[in-house]
Amino acid sequence: GAGVSQSPSNKVTEKGKDVELRCDPISGHTALYWYRQRLGQGLEFLIYFQGNSAPDKSGLPSDRFSAERTGESVSTLTIQRTQQEDSAVYLCASSLEAFSYNEQFFGPGTRLTVL
Amino acid sequence: AQSVTQLDSQVPVFEEAPVELRCNYSSSVSVYLFWYVQYPNQGLQLLLKYLSGSTLVKGINGFEAEFNKSQTSFHLRKPSVHISDTAEYFCAVSGGTGFQKLVFGTGTRLLVSP
């Protein structure tokens, strides 16, 4: 079956602009996760959804970051007033349910470059 | 809080040689441990995981890892590597009840040369 897909694959934007990153999880997966991967660093947890609810938003770096999920399917990560430090690869993952032991399936990522 | 340390940022090795990628973790609760691999220009893929039971875990592509609770380690091994194993390898930990976020190490780049 289809895996996790993300769009766009690459996004170049100017400082101060807003960007939206999209994630389509594997069909039937109720849990969805967003991570950020900065150059030379590990993955940084941002937020997760169980269904359409986000029980843990503690990883969002600032109030410029927000995310939503609709129809227990597609999710959008929005970054307002982008800064150069937002440049990174943003990865989305999904799993059957949001339990710690469940395997997370990752998408290919969106590479964001803020000029 | 949980954390993961991958001391080796890069490991060069010749084809058909054995390799060990080191991972140490810290956690105040029982842990679940994972190794993910990221091939160039691809997403992360699960190699193997330890949830409970046997401390020696076998994964895909001939990789295995051993959970050592006393040393808080989960090192990844392969007896004979191939050129195609060149990739970035991430160790990750979660644990506890319900959902606990997956905490990743900074990754180890495995470079296999002929």
Side-chain angles (χ1 to χ4, degrees):
Chain A
V4 178
S5 61
Q6 293 185 246
S7 61
S9 56
N10 279 285
K11 176 71 177 179
V12 180
T13 189
E14 294 179 348
K15 178 181 173 181
K17 300 282 190 182
D18 297 352
V19 296
E20 282 190 355
L21 312 180
R22 178 187 168 106
C23 172
D24 285 89
I26 293 173
S27 177
H29 280 192
T30 64
L32 185 147
Y33 315 82
W34 284 99
Y35 295 88
R36 179 168 70 175
Q37 185 178 21
R38 289 171 160 165
L39 189 64
Q41 299 186 22
L43 276 72
E44 175 188 5
F45 171 81
L46 298 179
I47 189 172
Y48 89 97
F49 291 88
Q50 176 61 54
N52 294 330
S53 301
D56 185 358
K57 302 181 181 180
S58 64
L60 294 177
S62 73
D63 58 7
R64 296 186 296 105
F65 287 72
S66 63
E68 67 173 12
R69 188 182 185 195
T70 57
E72 297 197 0
S73 181
V74 65
S75 175
T76 302
L77 178 69
T78 301
I79 309 173
Q80 296 178 310
R81 306 181 302 280
T82 52
Q83 304 294 313
Q84 289 183 333
E85 62 263 28
D86 298 334
S87 295
V89 176
Y90 289 82
L91 292 166
C92 175
S94 69
S95 65
L96 281 171
E97 293 185 53
F99 289 112
S100 302
Y101 51 78
N102 276 344
E103 177 183 354
Q104 296 182 21
F105 294 82
F106 284 80
T110 293
R111 182 176 300 276
L112 175 66
T113 303
V114 182
L115 302 176
Chain B
Q2 294 154 333
S3 66
V4 176
T5 301
Q6 293 182 251
L7 287 173
D8 305 307
S9 60
Q10 189 165 291
V11 173
V13 64
F14 289 110
E15 193 174 21
E16 297 184 7
V19 71
E20 178 180 84
L21 305 184
R22 296 181 294 169
C23 171
N24 288 88
Y25 69 92
S26 67
S27 175
S28 58
V29 298
S30 296
V31 295
Y32 306 121
L33 292 155
F34 305 80
W35 275 100
Y36 281 85
V37 60
Q38 187 175 31
Y39 297 106
N41 301 315
Q42 295 186 29
L44 276 76
Q45 177 183 2
L46 182 69
L47 266 181
L48 48 80
K49 62 182 177 182
Y50 170 79
L51 301 182
S52 65
S54 172
T55 57
L56 183 62
V57 180
K58 294 188 182 297
I60 61 172
N61 301 338
F63 283 92
E64 64 180 32
E66 186 156 19
F67 170 58
N68 188 318
K69 188 175 182 179
S70 63
Q71 297 186 4
T72 61
S73 68
F74 190 56
H75 300 332
L76 181 70
R77 302 185 183 98
K78 187 170 183 178
S80 176
V81 295
H82 302 289
I83 297 285
S84 59
D85 292 324
T86 294
E88 188 93 21
Y89 292 80
F90 293 95
C91 182
V93 63
S94 68
T97 57
F99 172 77
Q100 298 294 327
K101 66 182 181 182
L102 200 54
V103 176
F104 285 83
T106 52
T108 296
R109 183 170 297 277
L110 178 63
L111 296 170
V112 183
S113 53

